[in-house]
Amino acid sequence: MKKFFGILLATVIAASTLAGCAAPAAAPAAPAAAPAASAEAAAPEASGDASLADKKVGVCIYQFADNFMTLFRTELESYLISLGFSKENITITDGANDQATQTNQIQNFITQGVDVLIINPVNSSSAATITDMVLEAGIPLVYINREPDADEEKRWADNNWDVTYVGCDARQSGTMQGEIIVDLGLDAVDFNGNGKVDYIMIEGDPENVDAKYRTEFSIKALTDAGLEVACLDDQVGMWQQSEGERLVTNALGAHPETEVVFCNNDAMALGALQAIQAAGRKVGEDIYLVGVDALTEACEFVISGEMTGTVFNDHIAQSHGAADAAVNYITGAGNEHYIGCDYVKVTSENAQAILDSLK
Ligand code: GAL
């Protein structure tokens, strides 16, 4: 299903070459086949189920100070309540981007005897340890947002454990970012006329696959379309707006010939936009800018033309999928070990519709 060791290895190497620009993998494998189930597929029928009122849910978020995960956890809590859980039985903890802190929080949840855990790991590479701890306590586990690796997911399936992952395939979001630029056509993008797309890349936390795959697949979409690319700079902004601003300010200073700024998420793109404006540049006229998430502010900038595009990271489908999976474990219905959903490409043509759908 999602075992792309070649890509994984290539992207690990890319991510570790922080200062440089890694070439896209020579011949990356095709994106994963359609996931076994969609985030909406296994919705439990019981809505407002009274039997859930005394069930305890522990939710671990990698970091509260993250725009996208704030939307996610807010929606997750209200949807859990709408399913019948009591607000006082839902505990959501802030891992503060520190795995040791989060591991303590998980231990506390185990001691309290929660009925199910929903975990957004700080480090995806700690998933095997987390899974072992939680399963030993007999608690079902739903991973969200930061996908554990293929070996770890295989263990769940091989042992038929009550463990699943709910999320979207980051390769798709990267591909869509690249397609937004491809659709403009080389003539529109190649301001300096050198026949190449001169870009800078601002990456999220390289420890998680969203950053790795968005970095790789955005550029792969360009090269697959036959475009030549030149990476002028590739930096890690850890998903943060302030870092996006700082890094793009530096990159534009060093490389005024930049034609496209790719950011692995919208928070960093919003920072990049501040840097672009401070440098006296204008998106759509002498530079392009794409992000991921479809934060409200980013959609508004896409509508006004100050961002070229973004990709909707469906926090509604993902949070509902995670809550539904939690209920399915509690009721004994069980789940597939991978519950996927789709990203949506966002340009000026549909940004308003995306905003309207979120109201
Ligand atoms: C991504 C999202 C980022 C950030 C990250 C945290 O899916 O696009 O904005 O929230 O998850 O892991």
mmCIF file of all heavy atoms in Angstrom, residues 133-172:
data_model
loop_
_atom_site.group_PDB
_atom_site.id
_atom_site.type_symbol
_atom_site.label_atom_id
_atom_site.label_comp_id
_atom_site.label_asym_id
_atom_site.label_seq_id
_atom_site.Cartn_x
_atom_site.Cartn_y
_atom_site.Cartn_z
ATOM 1 N N MET A 133 3.730 0.690 23.739
ATOM 2 C CA MET A 133 3.271 1.158 25.056
ATOM 3 C C MET A 133 1.744 1.115 25.169
ATOM 4 O O MET A 133 1.174 0.645 26.143
ATOM 5 C CB MET A 133 3.634 2.654 25.181
ATOM 6 C CG MET A 133 4.759 3.018 26.069
ATOM 7 S SD MET A 133 5.173 4.776 25.750
ATOM 8 C CE MET A 133 3.857 5.616 26.595
ATOM 9 N N VAL A 134 1.102 1.637 24.138
ATOM 10 C CA VAL A 134 -0.356 1.796 24.178
ATOM 11 C C VAL A 134 -1.049 0.438 24.054
ATOM 12 O O VAL A 134 -2.012 0.151 24.773
ATOM 13 C CB VAL A 134 -0.797 2.778 23.058
ATOM 14 C CG1 VAL A 134 -2.300 2.830 22.936
ATOM 15 C CG2 VAL A 134 -0.221 4.169 23.323
ATOM 16 N N LEU A 135 -0.512 -0.407 23.160
ATOM 17 C CA LEU A 135 -1.145 -1.723 22.980
ATOM 18 C C LEU A 135 -0.991 -2.596 24.212
ATOM 19 O O LEU A 135 -1.883 -3.358 24.575
ATOM 20 C CB LEU A 135 -0.532 -2.434 21.771
ATOM 21 C CG LEU A 135 -1.050 -2.015 20.411
ATOM 22 C CD1 LEU A 135 -0.549 -2.980 19.363
ATOM 23 C CD2 LEU A 135 -2.570 -1.944 20.377
ATOM 24 N N GLU A 136 0.171 -2.471 24.862
ATOM 25 C CA GLU A 136 0.398 -3.262 26.082
ATOM 26 C C GLU A 136 -0.652 -2.927 27.139
ATOM 27 O O GLU A 136 -1.044 -3.777 27.936
ATOM 28 C CB GLU A 136 1.795 -2.976 26.625
ATOM 29 C CG GLU A 136 2.198 -3.983 27.671
ATOM 30 C CD GLU A 136 3.678 -3.865 28.028
ATOM 31 O OE1 GLU A 136 4.468 -3.473 27.142
ATOM 32 O OE2 GLU A 136 4.004 -4.146 29.178
ATOM 33 N N ALA A 137 -1.123 -1.684 27.097
ATOM 34 C CA ALA A 137 -2.159 -1.266 28.053
ATOM 35 C C ALA A 137 -3.556 -1.629 27.538
ATOM 36 O O ALA A 137 -4.565 -1.327 28.191
ATOM 37 C CB ALA A 137 -2.053 0.234 28.289
ATOM 38 N N GLY A 138 -3.622 -2.220 26.355
ATOM 39 C CA GLY A 138 -4.917 -2.656 25.814
ATOM 40 C C GLY A 138 -5.787 -1.518 25.299
ATOM 41 O O GLY A 138 -7.020 -1.638 25.251
ATOM 42 N N ILE A 139 -5.137 -0.425 24.892
ATOM 43 C CA ILE A 139 -5.913 0.740 24.429
ATOM 44 C C ILE A 139 -5.792 0.847 22.904
ATOM 45 O O ILE A 139 -4.680 0.796 22.365
ATOM 46 C CB ILE A 139 -5.383 2.036 25.097
ATOM 47 C CG1 ILE A 139 -5.539 1.928 26.620
ATOM 48 C CG2 ILE A 139 -6.092 3.276 24.549
ATOM 49 C CD1 ILE A 139 -4.849 3.036 27.393
ATOM 50 N N PRO A 140 -6.926 0.991 22.205
ATOM 51 C CA PRO A 140 -6.835 1.183 20.753
ATOM 52 C C PRO A 140 -6.256 2.552 20.422
ATOM 53 O O PRO A 140 -6.381 3.503 21.204
ATOM 54 C CB PRO A 140 -8.281 1.063 20.269
ATOM 55 C CG PRO A 140 -9.138 1.229 21.474
ATOM 56 C CD PRO A 140 -8.313 0.935 22.686
ATOM 57 N N LEU A 141 -5.640 2.629 19.221
ATOM 58 C CA LEU A 141 -4.830 3.805 18.908
ATOM 59 C C LEU A 141 -5.097 4.301 17.481
ATOM 60 O O LEU A 141 -5.047 3.529 16.525
ATOM 61 C CB LEU A 141 -3.355 3.398 19.065
ATOM 62 C CG LEU A 141 -2.249 4.338 18.649
ATOM 63 C CD1 LEU A 141 -2.380 5.703 19.325
ATOM 64 C CD2 LEU A 141 -0.895 3.715 19.000
ATOM 65 N N VAL A 142 -5.357 5.607 17.389
ATOM 66 C CA VAL A 142 -5.571 6.243 16.086
ATOM 67 C C VAL A 142 -4.481 7.298 15.900
ATOM 68 O O VAL A 142 -4.423 8.266 16.645
ATOM 69 C CB VAL A 142 -6.957 6.931 16.023
ATOM 70 C CG1 VAL A 142 -7.167 7.612 14.664
ATOM 71 C CG2 VAL A 142 -8.077 5.934 16.313
ATOM 72 N N TYR A 143 -3.596 7.077 14.934
ATOM 73 C CA TYR A 143 -2.591 8.093 14.606
ATOM 74 C C TYR A 143 -3.196 9.096 13.641
ATOM 75 O O TYR A 143 -3.964 8.717 12.735
ATOM 76 C CB TYR A 143 -1.377 7.452 13.937
ATOM 77 C CG TYR A 143 -0.427 6.759 14.885
ATOM 78 C CD1 TYR A 143 -0.369 5.374 14.952
ATOM 79 C CD2 TYR A 143 0.416 7.496 15.714
ATOM 80 C CE1 TYR A 143 0.513 4.726 15.819
ATOM 81 C CE2 TYR A 143 1.295 6.861 16.585
ATOM 82 C CZ TYR A 143 1.341 5.485 16.634
ATOM 83 O OH TYR A 143 2.203 4.858 17.492
ATOM 84 N N ILE A 144 -2.813 10.355 13.803
ATOM 85 C CA ILE A 144 -3.277 11.397 12.873
ATOM 86 C C ILE A 144 -2.103 12.254 12.397
ATOM 87 O O ILE A 144 -1.089 12.369 13.085
ATOM 88 C CB ILE A 144 -4.334 12.334 13.525
ATOM 89 C CG1 ILE A 144 -3.813 12.898 14.859
ATOM 90 C CG2 ILE A 144 -5.659 11.618 13.707
ATOM 91 C CD1 ILE A 144 -4.672 14.036 15.427
ATOM 92 N N ASN A 145 -2.271 12.831 11.234
ATOM 93 C CA ASN A 145 -1.424 13.895 10.658
ATOM 94 C C ASN A 145 0.019 13.533 10.338
ATOM 95 O O ASN A 145 0.513 13.896 9.282
ATOM 96 C CB ASN A 145 -1.481 15.145 11.563
ATOM 97 C CG ASN A 145 -0.525 16.244 11.130
ATOM 98 O OD1 ASN A 145 0.518 16.430 11.740
ATOM 99 N ND2 ASN A 145 -0.865 16.946 10.071
ATOM 100 N N ARG A 146 0.735 12.866 11.242
ATOM 101 C CA ARG A 146 2.133 12.523 10.965
ATOM 102 C C ARG A 146 2.211 11.017 10.787
ATOM 103 O O ARG A 146 2.173 10.259 11.759
ATOM 104 C CB ARG A 146 3.026 12.997 12.099
ATOM 105 C CG ARG A 146 3.006 14.509 12.175
ATOM 106 C CD ARG A 146 3.921 15.064 13.201
ATOM 107 N NE ARG A 146 4.298 16.406 12.786
ATOM 108 C CZ ARG A 146 5.232 17.139 13.362
ATOM 109 N NH1 ARG A 146 5.901 16.672 14.385
ATOM 110 N NH2 ARG A 146 5.503 18.345 12.916
ATOM 111 N N GLU A 147 2.324 10.611 9.553
ATOM 112 C CA GLU A 147 2.186 9.185 9.245
ATOM 113 C C GLU A 147 3.430 8.388 9.636
ATOM 114 O O GLU A 147 4.539 8.721 9.226
ATOM 115 C CB GLU A 147 1.900 9.010 7.746
ATOM 116 C CG GLU A 147 1.610 7.568 7.409
ATOM 117 C CD GLU A 147 1.152 7.364 5.978
ATOM 118 O OE1 GLU A 147 1.040 8.347 5.219
ATOM 119 O OE2 GLU A 147 0.903 6.191 5.631
ATOM 120 N N PRO A 148 3.240 7.331 10.427
ATOM 121 C CA PRO A 148 4.360 6.425 10.723
ATOM 122 C C PRO A 148 4.838 5.746 9.434
ATOM 123 O O PRO A 148 4.128 5.737 8.428
ATOM 124 C CB PRO A 148 3.748 5.420 11.701
ATOM 125 C CG PRO A 148 2.578 6.139 12.309
ATOM 126 C CD PRO A 148 2.033 6.983 11.187
ATOM 127 N N ASP A 149 6.039 5.167 9.489
ATOM 128 C CA ASP A 149 6.585 4.613 8.245
ATOM 129 C C ASP A 149 5.932 3.267 7.876
ATOM 130 O O ASP A 149 5.140 2.706 8.634
ATOM 131 C CB ASP A 149 8.115 4.531 8.309
ATOM 132 C CG ASP A 149 8.612 3.528 9.332
ATOM 133 O OD1 ASP A 149 7.827 2.659 9.771
ATOM 134 O OD2 ASP A 149 9.801 3.606 9.702
ATOM 135 N N ALA A 150 6.304 2.790 6.697
ATOM 136 C CA ALA A 150 5.660 1.597 6.143
ATOM 137 C C ALA A 150 5.884 0.365 7.021
ATOM 138 O O ALA A 150 4.980 -0.465 7.180
ATOM 139 C CB ALA A 150 6.193 1.352 4.731
ATOM 140 N N ASP A 151 7.071 0.233 7.609
ATOM 141 C CA ASP A 151 7.357 -0.919 8.486
ATOM 142 C C ASP A 151 6.407 -0.935 9.670
ATOM 143 O O ASP A 151 5.902 -1.991 10.062
ATOM 144 C CB ASP A 151 8.786 -0.816 9.063
ATOM 145 C CG ASP A 151 9.811 -1.264 8.055
ATOM 146 O OD1 ASP A 151 9.412 -1.886 7.057
ATOM 147 O OD2 ASP A 151 11.011 -0.982 8.272
ATOM 148 N N GLU A 152 6.186 0.247 10.238
ATOM 149 C CA GLU A 152 5.317 0.340 11.405
ATOM 150 C C GLU A 152 3.869 0.003 11.015
ATOM 151 O O GLU A 152 3.199 -0.778 11.682
ATOM 152 C CB GLU A 152 5.433 1.750 12.009
ATOM 153 C CG GLU A 152 4.474 2.080 13.131
ATOM 154 C CD GLU A 152 4.573 1.167 14.341
ATOM 155 O OE1 GLU A 152 5.492 0.347 14.418
ATOM 156 O OE2 GLU A 152 3.681 1.271 15.217
ATOM 157 N N GLU A 153 3.410 0.551 9.908
ATOM 158 C CA GLU A 153 2.035 0.266 9.481
ATOM 159 C C GLU A 153 1.854 -1.225 9.169
ATOM 160 O O GLU A 153 0.797 -1.794 9.415
ATOM 161 C CB GLU A 153 1.680 1.126 8.262
ATOM 162 C CG GLU A 153 1.572 2.611 8.628
ATOM 163 C CD GLU A 153 1.065 3.488 7.501
ATOM 164 O OE1 GLU A 153 0.978 3.015 6.349
ATOM 165 O OE2 GLU A 153 0.767 4.669 7.782
ATOM 166 N N LYS A 154 2.908 -1.835 8.660
ATOM 167 C CA LYS A 154 2.836 -3.258 8.332
ATOM 168 C C LYS A 154 2.629 -4.091 9.607
ATOM 169 O O LYS A 154 1.888 -5.074 9.607
ATOM 170 C CB LYS A 154 4.118 -3.680 7.607
ATOM 171 C CG LYS A 154 4.106 -5.095 7.085
ATOM 172 C CD LYS A 154 5.318 -5.342 6.195
ATOM 173 C CE LYS A 154 5.324 -6.752 5.630
ATOM 174 N NZ LYS A 154 5.312 -7.803 6.646
ATOM 175 N N ARG A 155 3.271 -3.673 10.694
ATOM 176 C CA ARG A 155 3.108 -4.414 11.963
ATOM 177 C C ARG A 155 1.639 -4.441 12.391
ATOM 178 O O ARG A 155 1.152 -5.435 12.903
ATOM 179 C CB ARG A 155 3.906 -3.731 13.088
ATOM 180 C CG ARG A 155 5.389 -3.874 13.023
ATOM 181 C CD ARG A 155 6.055 -3.595 14.376
ATOM 182 N NE ARG A 155 5.579 -2.415 15.089
ATOM 183 C CZ ARG A 155 5.535 -2.322 16.418
ATOM 184 N NH1 ARG A 155 5.913 -3.350 17.174
ATOM 185 N NH2 ARG A 155 5.130 -1.209 16.997
ATOM 186 N N TRP A 156 0.939 -3.319 12.203
ATOM 187 C CA TRP A 156 -0.467 -3.261 12.635
ATOM 188 C C TRP A 156 -1.296 -4.269 11.849
ATOM 189 O O TRP A 156 -2.139 -4.976 12.403
ATOM 190 C CB TRP A 156 -1.089 -1.874 12.440
ATOM 191 C CG TRP A 156 -0.244 -0.715 12.875
ATOM 192 C CD1 TRP A 156 0.793 -0.732 13.771
ATOM 193 C CD2 TRP A 156 -0.356 0.641 12.428
ATOM 194 N NE1 TRP A 156 1.313 0.532 13.901
ATOM 195 C CE2 TRP A 156 0.641 1.377 13.100
ATOM 196 C CE3 TRP A 156 -1.201 1.297 11.535
ATOM 197 C CZ2 TRP A 156 0.813 2.754 12.895
ATOM 198 C CZ3 TRP A 156 -1.035 2.657 11.331
ATOM 199 C CH2 TRP A 156 -0.041 3.379 12.000
ATOM 200 N N ALA A 157 -1.031 -4.285 10.530
ATOM 201 C CA ALA A 157 -1.815 -5.181 9.667
ATOM 202 C C ALA A 157 -1.449 -6.638 9.945
ATOM 203 O O ALA A 157 -2.327 -7.489 10.113
ATOM 204 C CB ALA A 157 -1.565 -4.823 8.208
ATOM 205 N N ASP A 158 -0.128 -6.912 10.018
ATOM 206 C CA ASP A 158 0.314 -8.302 10.222
ATOM 207 C C ASP A 158 -0.238 -8.886 11.514
ATOM 208 O O ASP A 158 -0.538 -10.072 11.590
ATOM 209 C CB ASP A 158 1.855 -8.361 10.272
ATOM 210 C CG ASP A 158 2.468 -8.137 8.901
ATOM 211 O OD1 ASP A 158 1.711 -8.096 7.910
ATOM 212 O OD2 ASP A 158 3.707 -7.986 8.815
ATOM 213 N N ASN A 159 -0.328 -8.054 12.543
ATOM 214 C CA ASN A 159 -0.769 -8.549 13.860
ATOM 215 C C ASN A 159 -2.240 -8.267 14.138
ATOM 216 O O ASN A 159 -2.734 -8.570 15.211
ATOM 217 C CB ASN A 159 0.085 -7.910 14.954
ATOM 218 C CG ASN A 159 1.545 -8.303 14.828
ATOM 219 O OD1 ASN A 159 1.897 -9.451 15.029
ATOM 220 N ND2 ASN A 159 2.386 -7.350 14.451
ATOM 221 N N ASN A 160 -2.872 -7.633 13.150
ATOM 222 C CA ASN A 160 -4.278 -7.262 13.302
ATOM 223 C C ASN A 160 -4.535 -6.477 14.595
ATOM 224 O O ASN A 160 -5.501 -6.712 15.314
ATOM 225 C CB ASN A 160 -5.170 -8.514 13.223
ATOM 226 C CG ASN A 160 -6.588 -8.133 12.833
ATOM 227 O OD1 ASN A 160 -6.792 -7.049 12.269
ATOM 228 N ND2 ASN A 160 -7.548 -8.967 13.159
ATOM 229 N N TRP A 161 -3.624 -5.537 14.859
ATOM 230 C CA TRP A 161 -3.762 -4.713 16.046
ATOM 231 C C TRP A 161 -4.814 -3.621 15.836
ATOM 232 O O TRP A 161 -5.060 -3.203 14.694
ATOM 233 C CB TRP A 161 -2.427 -4.028 16.371
ATOM 234 C CG TRP A 161 -1.387 -4.955 16.905
ATOM 235 C CD1 TRP A 161 -1.591 -6.153 17.524
ATOM 236 C CD2 TRP A 161 0.032 -4.755 16.857
ATOM 237 N NE1 TRP A 161 -0.383 -6.702 17.884
ATOM 238 C CE2 TRP A 161 0.627 -5.875 17.494
ATOM 239 C CE3 TRP A 161 0.865 -3.755 16.356
ATOM 240 C CZ2 TRP A 161 1.999 -6.004 17.639
ATOM 241 C CZ3 TRP A 161 2.231 -3.880 16.509
ATOM 242 C CH2 TRP A 161 2.792 -4.991 17.136
ATOM 243 N N ASP A 162 -5.362 -3.130 16.940
ATOM 244 C CA ASP A 162 -6.316 -2.018 16.859
ATOM 245 C C ASP A 162 -5.549 -0.700 16.770
ATOM 246 O O ASP A 162 -5.529 0.123 17.694
ATOM 247 C CB ASP A 162 -7.232 -2.024 18.098
ATOM 248 C CG ASP A 162 -8.345 -3.050 17.966
ATOM 249 O OD1 ASP A 162 -8.485 -3.631 16.864
ATOM 250 O OD2 ASP A 162 -9.065 -3.269 18.957
ATOM 251 N N VAL A 163 -4.901 -0.523 15.629
ATOM 252 C CA VAL A 163 -4.110 0.684 15.376
ATOM 253 C C VAL A 163 -4.364 1.100 13.935
ATOM 254 O O VAL A 163 -4.346 0.256 13.030
ATOM 255 C CB VAL A 163 -2.590 0.434 15.557
ATOM 256 C CG1 VAL A 163 -1.814 1.741 15.392
ATOM 257 C CG2 VAL A 163 -2.292 -0.195 16.907
ATOM 258 N N THR A 164 -4.604 2.383 13.724
ATOM 259 C CA THR A 164 -4.817 2.871 12.363
ATOM 260 C C THR A 164 -4.199 4.246 12.203
ATOM 261 O O THR A 164 -3.840 4.899 13.180
ATOM 262 C CB THR A 164 -6.330 2.911 12.029
ATOM 263 O OG1 THR A 164 -6.497 3.202 10.628
ATOM 264 C CG2 THR A 164 -7.066 3.970 12.834
ATOM 265 N N TYR A 165 -4.073 4.653 10.945
ATOM 266 C CA TYR A 165 -3.625 6.010 10.634
ATOM 267 C C TYR A 165 -4.715 6.683 9.816
ATOM 268 O O TYR A 165 -5.234 6.103 8.862
ATOM 269 C CB TYR A 165 -2.320 5.986 9.825
ATOM 270 C CG TYR A 165 -1.955 7.361 9.298
ATOM 271 C CD1 TYR A 165 -1.476 8.343 10.162
ATOM 272 C CD2 TYR A 165 -2.151 7.683 7.956
ATOM 273 C CE1 TYR A 165 -1.194 9.614 9.696
ATOM 274 C CE2 TYR A 165 -1.861 8.955 7.485
ATOM 275 C CZ TYR A 165 -1.377 9.910 8.367
ATOM 276 O OH TYR A 165 -1.110 11.175 7.907
ATOM 277 N N VAL A 166 -5.058 7.911 10.204
ATOM 278 C CA VAL A 166 -6.025 8.701 9.437
ATOM 279 C C VAL A 166 -5.300 9.925 8.890
ATOM 280 O O VAL A 166 -4.755 10.725 9.664
ATOM 281 C CB VAL A 166 -7.206 9.153 10.331
ATOM 282 C CG1 VAL A 166 -8.177 10.011 9.520
ATOM 283 C CG2 VAL A 166 -7.926 7.949 10.924
ATOM 284 N N GLY A 167 -5.273 10.080 7.599
ATOM 285 C CA GLY A 167 -4.608 11.255 7.024
ATOM 286 C C GLY A 167 -4.642 11.220 5.516
ATOM 287 O O GLY A 167 -5.188 10.303 4.911
ATOM 288 N N CYS A 168 -4.058 12.246 4.924
ATOM 289 C CA CYS A 168 -4.005 12.330 3.459
ATOM 290 C C CYS A 168 -2.596 11.950 2.998
ATOM 291 O O CYS A 168 -1.661 11.950 3.791
ATOM 292 C CB CYS A 168 -4.313 13.751 2.997
ATOM 293 S SG CYS A 168 -5.844 14.423 3.650
ATOM 294 N N ASP A 169 -2.468 11.662 1.715
ATOM 295 C CA ASP A 169 -1.176 11.281 1.146
ATOM 296 C C ASP A 169 -0.425 12.543 0.726
ATOM 297 O O ASP A 169 -0.819 13.230 -0.221
ATOM 298 C CB ASP A 169 -1.417 10.365 -0.060
ATOM 299 C CG ASP A 169 -0.112 9.840 -0.642
ATOM 300 O OD1 ASP A 169 0.941 10.474 -0.425
ATOM 301 O OD2 ASP A 169 -0.153 8.795 -1.317
ATOM 302 N N ALA A 170 0.650 12.835 1.428
ATOM 303 C CA ALA A 170 1.384 14.091 1.196
ATOM 304 C C ALA A 170 1.920 14.205 -0.230
ATOM 305 O O ALA A 170 2.131 15.308 -0.735
ATOM 306 C CB ALA A 170 2.522 14.219 2.194
ATOM 307 N N ARG A 171 2.124 13.078 -0.890
ATOM 308 C CA ARG A 171 2.595 13.143 -2.282
ATOM 309 C C ARG A 171 1.598 13.910 -3.146
ATOM 310 O O ARG A 171 1.972 14.684 -4.022
ATOM 311 C CB ARG A 171 2.784 11.727 -2.844
ATOM 312 C CG ARG A 171 4.012 11.052 -2.313
ATOM 313 C CD ARG A 171 4.024 9.587 -2.660
ATOM 314 N NE ARG A 171 3.191 8.870 -1.721
ATOM 315 C CZ ARG A 171 3.451 7.656 -1.274
ATOM 316 N NH1 ARG A 171 4.498 7.008 -1.710
ATOM 317 N NH2 ARG A 171 2.662 7.074 -0.410
ATOM 318 N N GLN A 172 0.314 13.662 -2.858
ATOM 319 C CA GLN A 172 -0.732 14.328 -3.651
ATOM 320 C C GLN A 172 -0.653 15.848 -3.486
ATOM 321 O O GLN A 172 -0.794 16.602 -4.451
ATOM 322 C CB GLN A 172 -2.095 13.806 -3.192
ATOM 323 C CG GLN A 172 -3.243 14.252 -4.059
ATOM 324 C CD GLN A 172 -4.595 13.816 -3.470
ATOM 325 O OE1 GLN A 172 -4.805 13.829 -2.254
ATOM 326 N NE2 GLN A 172 -5.511 13.434 -4.345
#
